[in-house]
Amino acid sequence: MKRNHIQILALIVTLICCACSNDVGLDELRSDPKLVLYCFPNVDNDTTIISLTASRPMYQNNLMVSANDMYGVRDAHITYTVNGEKHTVFFTEEKTDLMPPRSYYVTGHHQVGDHIRIEASVDGLPSVQAETVIPDMPFIDEVKDVMIHRDNQKFRQFQVTIADNPDTNDFYAVRLEMESSNNSIVTVTNATINTDDEPALKAGGSIDDLLDDENTFYGQFYIFNDDTFNDNRYTLHLNVNEYDIFHANTDMDDTTRKVHVKLYKITPEYFRFIKSINDQTNYELGEYGLAPTSPTFNHVDGGLGVIGGFNMTEHVVTITQNNFSVSNDK
């Protein structure tokens, strides 16, 4: 199981305190606690984490809350089905390298097209349910890198050509991971992408964009859809500051980097969830009371949260400072 595939679970602690839906109102925020369900099944991992917590209503925000209240609920009854077939759900009380404390999980690989449904209940709270489907595998046709200059800075532009079905509405994400080494120590970091040259990664659609160029993506997980595509091929132009690649980590003195280009195909629910988080970060006018802040997207019946399937493909490029080399697929 790969750690970076479950980074989104880090949001759960902050969301369960005042989680809200796309139709949320003050009455709902003041309502009784609800179950909060998060799960992101995919093809790559052999373990799927199910995070089940309880929300804390807004009227309780002034109460002292122990650290244990931020973790998952115990003694829940969870039914996890794949294409109608039930899978055994396990529980871990202790935190592990890959799971928060009090996590539920299932084992086994998923396949493209799998229909996953989760139902959960616990004494004293309404039961919840949600479902998702594992999307098709995305495809990277090729990756090129060129050097560009912008605002007196040097950028490495990764030109990532992907395949897209023009007859369907598809949702994607891209992440660039920089791998460097110093003797036997290997370090992998998520790259911050400058989106100035990529229309698909422009937030767009709000008055805030006219007043500010803030375009932050949670966890360097750059979501986009195919609305701007005009063909069955599209080339992303992803700029990364050359200094950040080779000099930001002073402990790494080698001049070679492996760039892991990871392309995700995600479900519409996953996309809307991440977009709602990005909108909250970028929508600065809402902080000053000039406009309502975007709510966190929710599609769990009876409670709060998201179940979002995804699939991922990876292309590895080896680059050298002030030089270029042939890329290879992984």
Side-chain angles (χ1 to χ4, degrees), residues 16-19 27-34 54-63 65 304:
I16 61 176
C17 292
C18 55
D27 289 341
E28 184 171 355
L29 288 175
R30 296 190 180 102
S31 64
D32 293 333
K34 297 180 179 181
S55 67
R56 179 159 56 88
M58 189 172 66
Y59 66 81
Q60 294 181 3
N61 281 351
N62 60 340
L63 302 180
V65 179
L304 303 166

Side-chain angles (χ1 to χ4, degrees), residues 90-201:
F90 302 95
F91 176 77
T92 177
E93 176 72 27
E94 302 299 326
K95 176 183 177 181
T96 70
D97 290 341
L98 298 175
M99 296 188 219
R102 299 185 199 167
S103 292
Y104 297 87
Y105 63 97
V106 297
T107 59
H109 285 281
H110 294 98
Q111 304 296 324
V112 171
D114 278 352
H115 184 279
I116 298 156
R117 180 179 177 85
I118 303 177
E119 301 175 2
S121 61
V122 66
D123 290 343
L125 293 175
S127 61
V128 297
Q129 58 186 13
E131 54 191 43
T132 192
V133 176
I134 302 296
D136 294 336
M137 178 74 73
F139 180 74
I140 298 176
D141 188 51
E142 66 176 345
V143 177
K144 298 179 180 178
D145 64 299
V146 299
M147 195 71 70
I148 66 170
H149 291 81
R150 176 183 288 279
D151 299 327
N152 297 319
Q153 298 183 76
K154 185 184 296 184
F155 287 89
R156 181 86 58 152
Q157 184 178 91
F158 296 94
Q159 300 174 354
V160 182
T161 302
I162 67 176
D164 177 72
N165 184 348
D167 297 325
T168 60
N169 296 321
D170 295 313
F171 299 85
Y172 299 95
V174 65
R175 172 178 279 153
L176 299 182
E177 296 180 355
M178 301 295 166
E179 177 184 333
S180 57
S181 62
N182 184 16
N183 297 324
S184 60
I185 300 175
V186 176
T187 301
V188 178
T189 57
N190 295 329
T192 297
I193 297 173
N194 178 295
T195 62
D196 288 346
D197 292 329
E198 184 42 62
L201 295 180

Side-chain angles (χ1 to χ4, degrees), residues 15-16 21 30 41 74 83 132 212 223 231 283 314 330:
L15 290 171
I16 61 176
S21 73
R30 296 190 180 102
R74 297 187 181 96
N83 302 322
T132 192
D212 193 3
I223 60 170
D231 203 347
Y283 206 61
E314 182 178 355
K330 178 181 178 181

